[in-house]
Amino acid sequence: MPGAPPRTAQRGGSGGRHPPEEALMKVLTEYLAHPESHTLAYYESHGGYETARKALTQLAPADVVAEVKASGLRGRGGAGFPTGMKWGFIPQGSPKPKYLVVNADESEPGTFKDRLLLEKDPHAILEGVIISAYAIGAHWSAIYIRGEFARQHAILETAINEAYARGYLGKGVFGTDYDLDLVLHRGAGAYICGEETALLSSLEGKRGYPKLKPPFPATHGAWESPTCVNNVETIATIPWILRHGGSEYAKIGVFVPGEEGKPPKVDSRGTRLMCVSGHVNNPGVFEVELGTPIIDVVEKLAGGVWKGRKLKAVIPGGSSTPILTAEEAGQMCLTYEDCAKFKTMFGSGGLMVIDEQQCMVRLLEVLLHFYAHESCGQCSPCREGTDWLYQIVRRVEAGRGEAEDFKTIEELCNNMEGRTVCPLAAAATMPTTSYLAKFRDEFLAHVAHKGCPQRVAATVHGAAPAAVGV
């Protein structure tokens, strides 16, 4: 909520410099600082796998789903859809096999939280898989991991082998009649495979093309069978919820009920792992309670803007999310509702900080180059539009732009967003339109000065222009 006091927060331990910490909330990061946190022995030493054992031996699948629904947990991959409700969409009466797929294809620029969990707490992910698969009636599961994650792949593969050897996976899990097999599938580094239907296409051995929805994966997923796709952070949260109860998790964060018969006014419960990068003194992964002001994350956890400079802008949820001005960032808290209020998105938790010396045209050029490169090419508006946008902004940054270019950019964006199979086109248009709307003067100045005013000034005065470091 805007103006709300700072809530609990915890550093996830991805770096060696530690900021002053406030009251702690440890759902996902409690054990990550231990050097043996990735081992089975350490995980079992603090009760690891006992929650899964209890779930499989004492609870019915419907009871597990009910606990997750009560927790208010929303998917941490980007869409923020309620996890328990998503599980409830899996048709239990279907004669087809049901599958659980974990999306570990973390490729949104600015996001590196799942990598931390894969490295530091792989058994928490596996315990989450066991509980989640049991809840939806799946006996086969897969973790689709990003191709570049070689180290994380090796750690997770070791953890899976350990779990099989201990009887936590395979035939008769925990001595019950429940069987569960788990496959670790390594992607090939395509950004588009972070989209769930493209991921499923790739998992099936096909080209990683997204598919039209509906039908949704809940009924027509992998190999046309009911499939639930959950993000790594979402899955790793499940053991905590089952151990402490959904109602306890629901007490974390911000919840404001609606009027009778109406949906909640604010429903942002739990914690999130925020990946803070860019121009801050102390970048890293921080676990924060939902409702924490963005400015507290930047200043109190990430050490503030580097080199004594002022804050210029913040990208709140990965490079595809609309940008915030410094003023907006100062008013906004980390809730889904505040994100909607400021017309941006929580996304994947990739919070990128931009200082006052950065050129927003150059920054947009870098982002658009990425999306033009990563378009899978299936849809014409995306295939042609992302590169067209990149070429225009590149021309403006190089000093060859014209005032008419901005009208063309806006027309392009209108003809791309919502006209493709998947949201990749929107991932390019959303930041583009927000940069143009909030920093339009910089774009116009590039046209007027025949290039970046900072670079022109630097050429005149012999000083080097600031580099884009996001």
Side-chain angles (χ1 to χ4, degrees):
M1 298 292 290
R7 307 294 291 273
T8 54
Q10 161 68 15
R11 180 176 175 76
S14 66
R17 295 164 293 172
H18 299 276
E21 295 181 352
E22 301 181 335
L24 305 179
M25 174 52 63
K26 300 179 179 179
V27 170
L28 289 163
T29 57
E30 182 174 4
Y31 303 104
L32 301 195
H34 195 283
E36 299 298 318
S37 65
H38 62 287
T39 64
L40 177 59
Y42 181 74
Y43 190 67
E44 289 178 324
S45 73
H46 56 79
Y49 287 107
E50 288 306 310
T51 303
R53 185 191 302 278
K54 179 182 175 183
L56 268 61
T57 57
Q58 299 181 24
L59 299 177
D63 297 331
V64 177
V65 175
E67 283 295 330
V68 175
K69 284 184 177 179
S71 74
L73 175 67
R74 298 169 66 162
R76 303 310 196 209
F81 195 82
T83 302
M85 186 181 295
K86 190 173 187 178
W87 289 4
F89 289 155
I90 300 296
Q92 294 305 310
S94 171
K96 296 180 178 178
K98 302 165 188 67
Y99 302 128
L100 172 72
V101 177
V102 180
N103 186 348
D105 193 59
E106 186 175 53
S107 50
E108 176 77 3
T111 311
F112 41 91
K113 62 185 177 63
D114 293 344
R115 184 179 67 185
L116 179 71
L117 294 173
L118 291 164
E119 273 188 24
K120 300 288 186 180
D121 211 1
H123 285 286
I125 299 169
L126 300 187
E127 186 170 14
V129 167
I130 296 168
I131 297 169
S132 305
Y134 173 71
I136 66 170
H139 295 281
W140 187 90
S141 180
I143 298 177
Y144 188 100
I145 189 168
R146 183 180 178 184
E148 291 89 337
F149 283 178
R151 172 177 165 79
Q152 294 76 18
H153 179 275
I155 292 172
L156 193 56
E157 189 171 46
T158 299
I160 291 172
N161 291 336
E162 290 175 331
Y164 264 104
R166 198 62 67 102
Y168 300 158
L169 291 170
K171 292 282 185 185
V173 178
F174 299 118
T176 68
D177 59 358
Y178 176 70
D179 303 335
L180 177 63
D181 279 313
L182 175 60
V183 171
L184 181 58
H185 184 96
R186 194 169 176 182
Y191 172 79
I192 192 60
C193 288
E195 195 277 337
E196 63 176 2
T197 60
L199 183 155
L200 294 177
S201 295
S202 176
L203 186 65
E204 293 169 342
K206 303 171 185 172
R207 185 170 182 172
Y209 271 164
K211 301 171 184 172
L212 281 171
K213 293 186 285 189
F216 292 93
T219 56
H220 294 73
W223 298 282
E224 293 294 308
S225 285
T227 304
C228 185
V229 182
N230 284 136
N231 169 260
V232 166
E233 183 182 349
T234 309
I235 287 292
T237 306
I238 298 301
W240 195 100
I241 291 173
L242 268 292
R243 186 179 310 126
H244 298 274
S247 59
E248 286 300 307
Y249 188 82
K251 294 176 182 176
I252 307 168
V254 186
F255 180 77
V256 179
E259 298 171 1
E260 187 174 354
K262 301 287 185 179
K265 294 179 179 177
V266 181
D267 189 3
S268 296
R269 290 175 278 185
T271 67
R272 281 213 68 172
L273 296 180
M274 297 302 297
C275 323
V276 185
S277 64
H279 306 138
V280 291
N281 290 308
N282 191 35
V285 180
F286 304 91
E287 184 170 14
V288 301
E289 184 173 6
L290 293 184
T292 301
I294 281 184
I295 205 67
D296 280 2
V297 177
V298 174
E299 294 183 353
K300 296 182 179 179
L301 296 176
V305 181
W306 70 357
K307 301 180 181 178
R309 296 175 187 170
K310 295 180 181 177
L311 179 66
K312 182 174 186 178
V314 169
I315 300 172
S319 64
S320 62
T321 57
I323 198 167
L324 299 168
T325 65
E327 182 180 0
E328 290 173 327
Q331 299 172 16
M332 183 178 151
C333 291
L334 293 172
T335 65
Y336 294 98
E337 292 74 19
D338 260 17
C339 286
K341 177 181 175 183
F342 287 95
K343 298 181 179 178
T344 187
M345 300 169 68
F346 232 141
S348 51
L351 196 155
M352 292 183 275
V353 178
I354 301 157
D355 77 31
E356 59 182 334
Q357 294 192 10
Q358 305 310 309
C359 170
M360 304 308 284
V361 181
R362 171 63 177 149
L363 177 54
L364 182 59
E365 180 194 352
V366 172
L367 295 186
L368 289 175
H369 183 235
F370 172 81
Y371 289 109
H373 177 75
E374 291 295 340
S375 173
C376 75
Q378 182 177 202
C379 307
S380 300
C382 179
R383 182 184 64 242
E384 304 298 330
T386 51
D387 189 62
W388 197 346
L389 285 176
Y390 165 59
Q391 295 297 342
I392 293 175
V393 174
R394 183 185 184 195
R395 194 169 66 242
V396 172
E397 165 62 9
R400 293 180 280 109
E402 301 174 356
E404 286 296 308
D405 285 336
F406 306 121
K407 183 180 178 182
T408 304
I409 288 174
E410 290 166 350
E411 289 177 352
L412 272 172
C413 291
N414 288 335
N415 283 288
M416 291 169 62
E417 193 168 336
R419 298 172 188 268
T420 53
V421 171
C422 85
L424 194 145
T429 61
M430 289 190 298
T432 299
T433 53
S434 69
Y435 282 52
L436 273 178
K438 297 177 182 180
F439 299 96
R440 196 174 190 88
D441 288 348
E442 283 195 38
F443 286 82
L444 294 174
H446 276 65
V447 174
H449 292 271
K450 301 295 182 186
C452 179
Q454 294 183 54
R455 188 168 59 245
V456 172
T459 302
V460 172
H461 300 293
V468 173
V470 175

